[in-house]
Amino acid sequence: MRLQRLIALAVSLVSAALGCDAGPSVRDCPTGTSCRPDGGPITDRPPQDVPPIDVGDLFTGLLSVEVQPANMTLTVRGQPVNLDFTLVGRYSNGTTRVIPLGAWRSTTTDLGDINAANGRFTANGLVGGTTRIEVTLPREDASTLQAATNLTVQFEREVYATPDGGVTPPSSVTGRFTGAPANDPAQRVTLRYPPASTVMPQNVAPPDVQWEGGTQGDVYRVTLSKPHAQVRGYVTHAGAGFRYDWVVDTAGWRALAESETASPIRLVVDRAHSGGVAAGSPVEFRLARGSLAGVIYYWDLRNGKILRIVDDSARREDFMPTPPRAPSGRVPASEERCVACHAVSRDGRFMAAEMWEGQGPSTVFDLTRDLSGNPAPTRFAPTYEGARWVYATWNPDSTRLLVNLLGGLELRDPSTGAMLPVRGGSLPTGNSVQPAWSPDGRTVAYVSDYAGPRPVTTMETDPGPTAFAASNLSSFPVTGTDAFGASRMLVRGAALAGQPEGVNAIAYPSWTPDGRWMSFQHGPFSESDIEPAPGQARRRFAGAVYLVGPDGANPTRMTLASGGGAEADSFFPNFSPFNQGGYYWLLFFSRRDYGNAQAGTRGTGRRQLWVSAVSNNPTPGTDPSSVPYWLPGQDVRNDNVSGFWAPQPCVTRGGACQVSSECCAGTCGPNPQGQLVCRSEEH
């Protein structure tokens, strides 16, 4: 009787399911993409040869089971789509019938969910990819029968951009692209961003695709695709002020990020002009399955202030608009609120910074407080009689600062600024700058033996803590609380003089988050450029970034991050606190072109922040870096340097998310209210 009741209940469930409409997005298939493999439309009911269900002898003569419909493709465009699967049995007498039992499952949860009892699959409409629909049928003798089929979900999205922000009727735009585009180099656009082979984190903000070429009245079709996800933007050249760019819309970018994470994104920009359509040259780039959920604090040189970018949203914030003012008459009015040479603690709570002028007073800001007041609060007041330093580094628990002023290192209390006594050993005292405390707190790397003179003809020819033409990389151990051991040289700057960037200066060491490696900058000078004399053009220098272990053996030039080939234009490297997607993520500034001249920085040489994915399991002697991407959120009109990355925690179950790698566990998908939240895999 128990079995009969279960069967009766299952019959009622499957009958209801078979009577449900599959939804307009499934049934409407003018191109055949949402139909059966034979091109016929999806029907609501099983084939005509399926007789009424006889629950009396459901298993008698049952030979096999199969899932219907089989090998389906659903096209989704941002809205949920239902598809009802049924289990059909084949019997020894040649008949078939619906089996209203079995436990249904989908092998993945990112595309949608399946009702375990009745086989209704609901595609969330947000991503594309493939899954396998499986069902297990228990028999009366305790054995089981199993059946499965493949399901493909194809995501499609089209966006029609107009100068006034409206929506252009699709026919007036898409009609320009009938037929196959011609391979015409003379009419083809030049793609400027993103570059081929770059690697970005999964939760990076949508990129601004930029190109060059064309005239007023042209229409550009920007296509980004994966095997089962495609996003298209149509952009019309409206004349003066046209920027030759399109920021990929958020919904489409998320679909690409979440769909088939192992597949690269293919990008192509086709141009419809008065004589036809010119095919663009495609490039491919990848999104690593990893999220960088943090905040970047960087120095806006033009305005002399520290700004921050919330990296996954590209939201730029002037979080400290009115820092403490310098005493009247001590510095020019344009510099009286200047903040520079900052260093952020590893936990993201505090920022040490130099105030007002080079080698001026210093202080510490608590980044967990509201710093929008006038003046912004500090842990201790900056004064010319008090604490002063140029570069600083935090110990792992943010209770100590190692700093340099001129040519030596000092230990300071970050809560008061007071100098602390060294309880064992000693700190380097001569020509030693730019300390970097390791994540485990056991080692400090620093730049040693810096020397000059400056490679320019000015009155200021002595080397200083920021500008020098020769130096080495050294380290010393932390032997106890406020105790330090003897230094050892790791890499001589002169040993790398034969590299393309040339000469002898090492600068800005930075540790990977697991402490296994360090990066540093190398080139003819510690700074990227310098003004020889007032009114003269700035002199530019080359700079490349390297990876080396704590023992200093075999430093490896990160050529792709540095600019590729013999080029070298990368400075002030800082590893993020993330080891995600198989990569460390290295932040640095560069004067290389970002995009085109209308929307980017092409031809200006303005310094901007870039990020390179660096293999967390590098092969000795092989470049571990990737082609970098431009950090979204910056102001392209300004010079932006000295980026420090502070972490944010991963998102717990039920918390808001955009992509799955932001979640501490599980996947990012819609909840019953349609909001994107972190869900368990079993959802």
Side-chain angles (χ1 to χ4, degrees), residues 461-537:
T461 58
D462 293 331
T466 64
F468 42 86
S471 56
N472 304 315
L473 177 66
S474 297
S475 71
F476 55 84
V478 179
T479 57
T481 303
D482 300 343
F484 307 95
S487 295
R488 60 176 293 218
M489 186 181 297
L490 302 178
V491 182
R492 295 181 61 86
L496 303 175
Q499 294 287 0
E501 67 277 5
V503 208
N504 304 330
I506 285 177
Y508 304 113
S510 176
W511 294 86
T512 58
D514 55 12
R516 295 176 56 211
W517 307 92
M518 285 183 286
S519 66
F520 62 83
Q521 169 193 316
H522 176 261
F525 197 49
S526 60
E527 296 185 353
S528 66
D529 54 20
I530 196 167
E531 187 177 6
Q536 295 186 11

Side-chain angles (χ1 to χ4, degrees), residues 255-267:
L256 292 166
E258 284 282 79
S259 301
E260 302 160 313
T261 54
S263 297
I265 295 174
R266 183 179 186 270
L267 166 64

Side-chain angles (χ1 to χ4, degrees), residues 6-21 44 46 53 66-69 82-88 98-106 113-122 133-136:
L6 288 173
I7 293 174
L9 175 60
V11 170
S12 66
L13 289 173
V14 78
S15 298
L18 293 176
C20 291
D21 186 83
D44 296 327
I53 299 170
E66 63 185 45
V67 176
Q68 293 186 4
N82 295 327
L83 176 60
D84 293 320
F85 289 98
T86 58
L87 182 63
V88 175
V98 169
I99 306 292
L101 296 177
W104 295 86
R105 68 180 294 267
S106 173
D113 300 311
I114 192 166
N115 187 305
N118 65 20
R120 165 165 282 196
F121 181 85
T122 301
I133 302 299
E134 299 176 346
V135 59
T136 300

Side-chain angles (χ1 to χ4, degrees), residues 38-306:
D38 62 4
I42 298 172
T43 58
D44 296 327
R45 301 187 180 280
Q48 293 299 315
D49 67 336
V50 177
I53 299 170
D54 181 359
V55 299
D57 60 346
L58 188 64
F59 296 100
T60 302
L62 179 61
L63 299 177
S64 64
V65 290
E66 63 185 45
V67 176
Q68 293 186 4
N71 300 318
M72 292 299 302
T73 295
L74 298 182
T75 298
V76 297
R77 299 180 178 88
Q79 298 297 324
V81 176
N82 295 327
L83 176 60
D84 293 320
F85 289 98
T86 58
L87 182 63
V88 175
R90 295 193 177 277
Y91 290 81
S92 57
N93 62 3
T95 62
T96 62
R97 69 174 62 170
V98 169
I99 306 292
L101 296 177
W104 295 86
R105 68 180 294 267
S106 173
T107 56
T108 63
T109 59
D110 54 341
L111 302 177
D113 300 311
I114 192 166
N115 187 305
N118 65 20
R120 165 165 282 196
F121 181 85
T122 301
N124 57 39
L126 303 176
V127 296
T130 60
T131 188
R132 192 163 175 81
I133 302 299
E134 299 176 346
V135 59
T136 300
L137 174 67
R139 302 180 64 140
E140 290 179 307
D141 60 2
S143 64
T144 60
L145 289 174
Q146 294 181 333
T149 189
N150 296 320
L151 173 64
T152 298
V153 177
Q154 185 75 32
F155 178 91
E156 294 182 357
R157 183 170 178 82
E158 291 188 339
V159 179
Y160 310 98
T162 62
D164 60 2
V167 177
T168 301
S171 60
S172 66
V173 175
T174 58
R176 299 280 299 273
F177 292 90
T178 57
N183 185 12
D184 185 354
Q187 300 293 342
R188 179 182 300 148
V189 305
T190 300
L191 186 63
R192 292 300 185 189
Y193 189 84
S197 302
T198 191
V199 178
M200 306 179 189
Q202 190 182 27
N203 69 327
V204 70
D208 185 1
V209 179
Q210 299 176 43
W211 61 90
E212 293 176 340
T215 60
Q216 184 173 355
D218 289 349
V219 177
Y220 303 89
R221 182 176 62 186
V222 184
T223 304
L224 299 97
S225 60
K226 284 185 172 182
H228 298 108
Q230 178 177 278
V231 179
R232 275 183 167 163
Y234 292 87
V235 186
T236 301
H237 191 319
F242 183 65
R243 288 162 45 99
Y244 299 92
D245 74 323
W246 180 60
V247 179
V248 184
D249 83 301
T250 301
W253 182 247
R254 182 190 182 276
L256 292 166
E258 284 282 79
S259 301
E260 302 160 313
T261 54
S263 297
I265 295 174
R266 183 179 186 270
L267 166 64
V268 63
V269 180
D270 300 320
R271 173 192 171 209
H273 54 90
S274 59
V277 178
S281 294
V283 301
E284 289 189 348
F285 60 95
R286 289 199 314 108
L287 299 181
R289 190 174 175 82
S291 288
L292 311 188
V295 178
I296 297 97
Y297 294 86
Y298 69 95
W299 189 13
D300 173 359
L301 282 178
R302 173 178 293 185
N303 297 301
K305 60 172 54 180
I306 307 299

Side-chain angles (χ1 to χ4, degrees), residues 366-381:
D366 185 342
L367 297 174
T368 67
R369 298 185 61 184
D370 180 3
L371 299 179
S372 62
N374 186 8
T378 59
R379 298 191 81 189
F380 54 88

Side-chain angles (χ1 to χ4, degrees), residues 650-673:
C650 59
V651 180
T652 57
R653 182 177 178 181
C657 59
Q658 286 297 317
V659 293
S660 298
S661 53
E662 293 178 329
C663 302
C664 300
T667 60
C668 180
N671 62 12
Q673 291 75 43

